[in-house]
């Protein structure tokens, strides 16, 4: 099954509560998937700096002295904020590739990269994963979350959602893709970095590839309807935006709500019931094979198919 | 009237209480508050009681209903009124996927829009949708009436058997073996009664009837391409 939640805030006064609201939504969806959970938060950026969320099963050893090591690699200051098995690296902009290569050598996994994005994910239930990283105290502009019932690949940290395959891009998925193996080979030949055997990572990588070759997120989501086989409800995040698309069969559930304060997504209506003003919200089921997208760069409106 | 607050009473306890109502119960009206999208509310009822749910529901609300009337003052999740045998279910808002699926009898009224697969494999149920319905509705429908006051999505009535499908608005596409049919006086009569019972002021004459072309009933090699 899998459970997905997403929240895109229009009202800045809600930003300090983003982590708390998303966590509560995700915990409600726990019984849709007990295997692993993850949350992506877009928490703002610092000019000239970029972020990398990294993970290690042995953080005590792996993160010791990492700031110094990476500072030497990039020839500039690197700061690190450790949260349980994860750490947020604050690195100079433009040094992502160098840092990644160094991390690969040391054996530290990369969860996400981007100016604003942080991803926290582990095997376990949403309430435990959220508590492990204190997600409910995080603020941000938008975020997505996922609780997984594994079908297409192993139950591991790397197999958990959200998947990040391009700067500040992430994706969560309910469903299963049937052409992910052939597509993975194709995308790897195109130079897209794909780490796991997970079908969802291929979906994320597909969108990254399309956007690297000039498509907008809206165009990439639209072409995914032609190029991806299988079942999917996707919720995606970009640095300033939030998008939803379902395959033409649309058997995976989805409910959306919009008010002047936010746009919210849930696999079920239950996930939305504690949001402020939900009683008066416009609540609807996204149409199959239709792209919905909201961006902080545009005037936030209720217009569908904005992309 | 009896009120059950789902924020205080558990779902199983609520359904157990409703199931305990005998045919001759004098507690005939029930109200369920704080449903908050919970699943399986008022499922498997088997007594002539009236249950009003104040809010939106999750999966399978009023599934397997017999004799009871269930009013949902909100929107309903997937599978609402699934496999109904008799009674009446009224959804004030929208219905998600496969509303009224496999229903054998009774009346399901959706005041808003219904999503995909509405009335899939219906076997005698009557469904009246005031708004639009999504794709693959009445797929493999076998008996009963599906009335749509708005538009229908793709593949209406795909592989259907004997159900009557009435649509007032546009049909995006018809499914395999579904075709437009003549509206005879008896169809106008059926439609008039259903619309009245469902509280719709639509005129029966405005509807088009669709149904099975009956080419898929038995395997015929000439139809192989259509299977």
């Amino acid at each position: 099954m899998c459970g997905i939640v997403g929240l895109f805030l229009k009202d800045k006064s809600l930003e300090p509560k983003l982590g708390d609201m998303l966590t509560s939504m995700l915990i409600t969806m726990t019984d849709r998937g007990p295997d692993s959970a993850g949350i992506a938060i877009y928490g703002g950026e610092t000019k000239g700096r970029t972020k990398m969320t990294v993970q290690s099963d042995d953080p005590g050893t792996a993160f010791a002295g990492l700031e110094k090591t990476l500072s030497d690699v990039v020839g500039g200051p690197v700061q690190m904020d450790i949260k349980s098995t994860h750490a947020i690296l604050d690195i100079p902009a433009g040094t992502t590739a160098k840092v990644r290569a160094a991390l690969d050598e040391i054996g530290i996994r990369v969860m996400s990269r981007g100016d604003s994005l942080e991803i926290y994910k582990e095997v376990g239930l949403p309430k435990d994963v959220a508590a492990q990283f204190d997600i409910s105290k995080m603020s941000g502009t938008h975020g997505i979350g996922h609780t997984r019932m594994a079908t297409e690949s192993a139950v591991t940290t790397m197999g958990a959602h959200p998947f990040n395959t391009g700067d500040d891009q992430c994706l969560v998925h309910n469903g299963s893709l049937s052409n992910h193996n052939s597509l993975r080979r194709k995308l790897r030949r195109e130079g897209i970095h794909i780490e796991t055997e997970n079908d969802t990572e291929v979906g994320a990588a597909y969108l990254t590839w399309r956007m690297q070759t000039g498509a907008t997120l809206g165009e990439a989501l639209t072409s995914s309807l032609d190029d991806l086989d299988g079942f999917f409800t996707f919720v995606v995040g970009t640095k300033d935006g939030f998008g939803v698309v379902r395959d033409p069969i649309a058997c995976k559930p989805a409910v959306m709500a919009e008010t002047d304060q936010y746009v919210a997504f849930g696999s079920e209506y239950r996930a939305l019931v504690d949001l402020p003003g939900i009683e008066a919200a416009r609540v609807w089921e996204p149409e199959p094979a239709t792209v919905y997208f909201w961006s902080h760069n545009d005037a936030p409106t209720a217009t569908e198919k904005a992309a | 009237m009896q009120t059950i607050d789902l924020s205080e009473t558990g779902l199983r306890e609520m359904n157990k209480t409703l199931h305990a109502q005998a045919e001759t119960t004098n507690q005939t009206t029930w109200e369920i508050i704080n449903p908050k999208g919970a699943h399986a509310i008022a499922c498997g009822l088997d007594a002539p009681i009236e249950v009003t749910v104040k809010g939106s529901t999750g999966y399978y609300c009023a599934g397997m209903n017999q004799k009871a009337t269930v009013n949902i003052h909100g929107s309903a999740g997937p599978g609402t009124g699934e496999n109904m045998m008799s009674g009446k279910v009224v959804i004030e808002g929208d219905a998600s996927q496969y509303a009224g699926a496999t229903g054998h009898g009774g009346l399901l009224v959706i005041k808003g829009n219904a999503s995909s697969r509405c009335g899939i494999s219906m076997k005698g149920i009557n469904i009246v949708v005031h708004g639009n319905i999504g794709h693959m509705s009445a797929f493999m429908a076998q008996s009963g009436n599906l009335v749509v006051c708005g538009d229908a999505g793709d593949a209406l009535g795909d592989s259907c058997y004997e159900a009557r499908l009435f649509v007032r608005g546009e049909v995006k596409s018809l499914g395999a073996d579904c075709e437009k049919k003549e509206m005879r006086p008896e169809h106008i009569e059926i439609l008039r009664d259903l619309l009245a019972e469902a509280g719709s002021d639509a005129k029966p004459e405005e509807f088009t009837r669709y149904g099975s072309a009956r080419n898929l009933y038995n395997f015929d090699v000439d139809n192989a391409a259509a299977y």
Side-chain angles (χ1 to χ4, degrees):
Chain A
M1 290 204 292
C2 295
I4 306 177
V5 298
L7 194 55
F8 174 85
L9 299 178
K10 302 177 188 176
D11 180 349
K12 283 191 177 301
S13 71
L14 287 178
E15 289 181 3
K17 292 174 68 183
L18 180 78
D20 187 39
M21 291 159 88
L22 262 181
T23 299
S24 154
M25 291 165 78
L26 190 58
I27 288 173
T28 309
M29 290 292 92
T30 300
D31 53 10
R32 296 191 63 87
D35 294 329
S36 64
I39 282 190
I41 299 261
Y42 290 87
E45 57 185 306
T46 311
K47 205 169 163 45
R49 308 291 292 176
T50 195
K51 284 192 251 190
M52 243 187 199
T53 320
V54 295
Q55 189 269 358
S56 171
D57 292 338
D58 182 15
T61 311
F63 297 156
L66 189 60
E67 279 170 311
K68 168 85 174 70
T69 308
L70 294 175
S71 296
D72 293 345
V73 167
V74 302
V78 170
Q79 276 102 45
M80 178 169 63
D81 179 15
I82 298 173
K83 289 184 179 177
S84 183
T85 56
H86 287 41
I88 306 301
L89 300 173
D90 177 16
I91 61 178
T95 61
T96 310
K98 272 189 196 166
V99 172
R100 172 152 221 149
L103 292 168
D104 281 350
E105 220 163 273
I106 308 167
I108 292 176
R109 299 161 178 150
V110 177
M111 301 284 101
S112 71
R113 63 183 191 274
D115 297 341
S116 167
L117 174 66
E118 296 173 21
I119 288 180
Y120 300 88
K121 57 186 189 182
E122 281 292 359
V123 170
L125 297 176
K127 72 173 167 58
D128 298 329
V129 174
Q132 186 180 346
F133 301 111
D134 228 357
I135 304 284
S136 59
K137 295 219 169 59
M138 292 184 70
S139 65
T141 51
H142 55 299
I144 59 181
H146 188 268
T147 180
R148 181 175 185 222
M149 194 183 80
T151 55
E152 292 283 322
S153 70
V155 178
T156 61
T157 301
M158 292 307 284
H161 305 210
F163 282 95
N164 161 255
T165 48
D167 287 354
D168 284 310
Q169 293 165 20
C170 68
L171 178 146
V172 291
H173 171 210
N174 182 16
S176 67
L177 303 179
S178 48
N179 63 339
H180 63 98
N181 285 323
S182 58
L183 203 51
R184 183 183 295 104
R185 285 193 293 274
K186 178 184 166 175
L187 292 168
R188 279 181 175 155
R189 279 199 302 274
E190 298 285 345
I192 303 290
H193 181 85
I194 301 175
E195 296 206 27
T196 71
E197 295 308 301
N198 185 284
D199 60 329
T200 304
E201 189 182 10
V202 174
Y206 170 85
L207 297 178
T208 298
W209 170 66
R210 288 284 290 120
M211 286 188 275
Q212 280 181 6
T213 50
T216 63
L217 177 63
E219 288 163 352
L221 289 170
T222 303
S223 65
S224 73
L225 292 164
D226 295 325
D227 293 336
L228 301 180
D229 286 340
F231 298 114
F232 54 92
T233 291
F234 285 150
V235 178
V236 301
T238 62
K239 193 198 276 192
D240 55 80
F242 173 78
V244 173
V245 68
R246 301 168 84 196
D247 68 78
I249 302 291
C251 59
K252 294 298 176 188
V255 180
M256 299 203 68
E258 182 167 18
T259 70
D260 291 343
Q261 290 187 294
Y262 59 81
V263 178
F265 176 97
S267 292
E268 298 176 28
Y269 178 75
R270 282 188 299 154
L272 312 178
V273 295
D274 291 328
L275 291 173
I278 189 70
E279 301 78 14
R282 186 173 79 99
V283 176
W284 78 102
E285 188 167 314
E287 294 284 329
T290 303
V291 173
Y292 297 81
F293 189 68
W294 288 261
S295 169
H296 283 124
N297 282 341
D298 303 326
T301 67
T303 312
E304 288 163 22
K305 302 187 216 177
Chain B
M1 183 173 59
Q2 317 292 309
T3 298
I4 300 176
D5 185 345
L6 264 185
S7 62
E8 290 168 5
T9 306
L11 189 74
R12 279 168 192 259
E13 190 61 31
M14 175 209 63
N15 276 326
K16 207 165 131 189
T17 306
L18 296 177
H19 291 167
Q21 302 309 308
E23 184 85 17
T24 52
T25 180
N26 56 5
Q27 295 177 328
T28 55
T29 55
W30 295 77
E31 183 180 66
I32 295 166
I33 60 172
N34 291 314
K36 294 197 166 185
H39 299 171
I41 292 173
C43 258
L45 303 185
D46 190 15
I49 58 175
E50 179 155 3
V51 178
T52 299
V53 185
K54 297 285 212 177
S56 293
T57 60
Y59 283 63
Y60 309 127
C61 182
M64 301 181 288
N65 186 51
Q66 295 196 110
K67 302 171 197 146
T69 295
V70 179
N71 303 300
I72 301 167
H73 287 193
S75 286
T80 299
E82 189 170 270
N83 211 50
M84 264 172 75
M85 304 304 283
S86 63
K88 186 172 177 181
V89 174
V90 182
I91 303 166
E92 294 293 333
D94 295 339
S96 185
Q97 311 174 76
Y98 47 95
T102 74
H104 288 250
L107 175 66
L108 170 64
V109 180
I110 299 161
K111 298 268 181 87
N113 300 315
S115 175
S116 59
R117 293 173 274 275
C118 182
I120 186 170
S121 196
M122 52 195 279
K123 296 178 172 72
I125 189 175
N126 291 320
I127 303 174
V128 180
V129 183
H130 287 221
N132 307 322
I133 59 170
H135 62 281
M136 295 297 283
S137 290
F139 172 59
M140 289 185 79
Q142 290 154 53
S143 175
N145 299 288
L146 171 64
V147 180
V148 185
C149 300
D151 302 331
D154 272 321
L156 175 71
D158 191 273
S159 307
C160 67
Y161 292 76
E162 285 301 306
R164 300 180 201 93
L165 317 176
F166 300 101
V167 182
R168 183 164 69 158
E170 299 288 319
V171 173
K172 201 166 177 195
S173 67
L174 292 174
D177 209 35
C178 183
E179 64 176 14
K180 204 172 184 176
K181 300 226 168 198
E182 178 197 5
M183 278 287 262
R184 296 195 297 270
E186 71 259 35
H187 301 123
I188 298 285
E189 278 311 299
I190 290 169
L191 205 42
R192 180 170 291 120
D193 291 348
L194 284 172
L195 288 166
E197 205 181 340
S200 168
D201 55 9
K203 309 274 179 297
E205 296 78 12
E206 296 166 353
F207 287 75
T208 304
R209 181 167 72 104
Y210 302 88
S212 176
R214 298 171 181 155
N215 289 324
L216 295 180
Y217 271 24
N218 301 296
F219 181 75
D220 178 343
V221 74
D222 292 339
N223 292 329
Y227 288 107

